[in-house]
Amino acid sequence: MDLPLLTYKPTTQNHRVVSFGTADLNEDTPYIYRLEDAASYPEIRDVIWACYRQVFSEHATLAFNRQITLESQLVNRVITVRDFIRGLAKSERFYNTVVAVNDNYRLVEVCLRRFLGRSAYNQDEKIAWSIKIGTLGFSGFVDALLDSEEYTQAFGDFTVPYQRKRMEGRPFNLVTPRYGYEYRDKVGTTTTDWRFTIEKFYNRKFQERRLPEGDPRKYRELAAAIAPKTRYAQQLRASDLDYLAKVPRRR
């Protein structure tokens, strides 16, 4: 059953602040790629590369991520930019590199940045879109994002998504999808990276977890918490002793 998107109240963050106009314009301001402005083949190729950079988060598009059929359709204007973005998002390469290695919450965060050009407002929005993934699957989630009113008003059919409104921390769509804590801990980065290995080796808590049962070193913190009072031996000099008083008398 298709559940409606849960309502959530957006919080005030930088990506919701109205553009500051000339204060946002500098050398990092993203160029807006539109299919209507592409009159020649090189310009259409620039639009295609912009789509790849936005969806796959790459400055240098890898050959095995390319979708030749979709490129040909866009060059001949059989499909729109929105359809091209949709095809890239539903491709096998995107699924293997982004979808399969993330949980739903992080997947929502990555997709909002790449398809809507903004970060998630808060945890409530992540939960709402995660329910969409659970009920519609990832393909239905992509359709819900790209067919949403927000996407239509921001980009329409012929504009490549870009980071919108206040420019801070750009480009923030360059998120490494495989470096969430789930991937590090479960897939094996923390076990194969030598930095994590050395950190664990020299970490005292890690060493204590490997101690056998009954080892006194496991109870050092407990013993220190008790804080017993140290008793020192009495300092007594031989000259202070009255030997004659201590010798028993004979009657």
Side-chain angles (χ1 to χ4, degrees):
M1 185 173 103
D2 185 7
L3 298 176
L5 185 67
L6 296 180
T7 58
Y8 51 87
K9 184 178 181 180
T11 55
T12 301
Q13 295 183 1
N14 287 331
H15 54 268
R16 296 186 62 242
V17 177
V18 179
S19 175
F20 292 148
T22 56
D24 274 345
L25 300 178
N26 55 33
E27 66 277 4
D28 296 327
T29 301
Y31 179 81
I32 300 177
Y33 291 88
R34 297 184 178 92
L35 188 60
E36 306 100 309
D37 301 333
S40 61
Y41 179 76
E43 292 177 345
I44 296 179
R45 300 299 296 180
D46 291 340
V47 173
I48 292 176
W49 300 137
C51 292
Y52 279 116
R53 289 194 297 268
Q54 182 67 24
V55 174
F56 286 98
S57 186
E58 297 171 351
H59 288 297
T61 304
L62 301 179
F64 57 81
N65 286 339
R66 294 185 58 184
Q67 306 295 318
I68 304 301
T69 302
L70 290 174
E71 291 182 21
S72 177
Q73 292 175 345
L74 185 61
V75 169
N76 294 302
R77 301 180 186 268
V78 177
I79 60 176
T80 63
V81 172
R82 188 191 324 224
D83 295 330
F84 187 73
I85 295 291
R86 193 191 311 269
L88 295 182
K90 294 184 179 181
S91 65
E92 182 179 358
R93 294 305 310 169
F94 188 84
Y95 187 88
N96 292 335
T97 57
V98 178
V99 181
V101 296
N102 286 306
D103 61 15
N104 288 352
Y105 293 141
R106 183 171 174 81
L107 182 60
V108 167
E109 181 180 357
V110 172
C111 290
L112 288 179
R113 292 184 175 189
R114 297 188 184 181
F115 301 142
L116 294 185
R118 63 171 177 83
S119 300
Y121 291 140
N122 46 40
Q123 189 66 20
D124 293 339
E125 185 178 25
K126 293 181 183 180
I127 294 174
W129 285 112
S130 297
I131 295 175
K132 282 292 184 180
I133 298 177
T135 55
L136 301 178
F138 179 72
S139 178
F141 166 65
V142 171
D143 290 335
L145 280 182
L146 298 185
D147 296 333
S148 64
E149 182 180 357
E150 179 180 358
Y151 184 95
T152 301
Q153 292 181 352
F155 310 115
D157 288 328
F158 302 104
T159 302
V160 180
Y162 58 90
Q163 182 171 339
R164 298 148 51 198
K165 300 207 174 173
R166 184 177 181 180
M167 298 292 103
E168 181 178 350
R170 55 192 149 186
F172 66 14
N173 68 308
L174 298 178
V175 180
T176 304
R178 289 176 174 262
Y179 213 69
Y181 70 91
E182 302 89 351
Y183 182 81
R184 294 198 308 267
D185 296 339
K186 296 181 180 179
V187 180
T189 305
T190 54
T191 60
T192 57
D193 196 324
W194 63 270
R195 293 172 299 176
F196 294 105
T197 303
I198 293 179
E199 181 181 356
K200 286 185 177 181
F201 181 78
Y202 289 103
N203 190 302
R204 183 173 60 86
K205 292 185 177 181
F206 178 77
Q207 292 178 350
E208 288 179 350
R209 287 197 296 266
R210 300 181 60 181
L211 295 176
E213 293 296 332
D215 194 312
R217 288 176 295 176
K218 297 185 66 173
Y219 308 100
R220 286 184 301 183
E221 295 183 359
L222 177 62
I226 298 177
K229 295 182 179 180
T230 305
R231 298 182 179 275
Y232 296 96
Q234 296 181 356
Q235 295 182 358
L236 189 62
R237 293 177 298 181
S239 58
D240 295 334
L241 298 178
D242 187 0
Y243 295 100
L244 297 178
K246 294 182 178 299
V247 175
R249 295 183 180 180
R250 296 182 179 180
R251 294 182 181 178

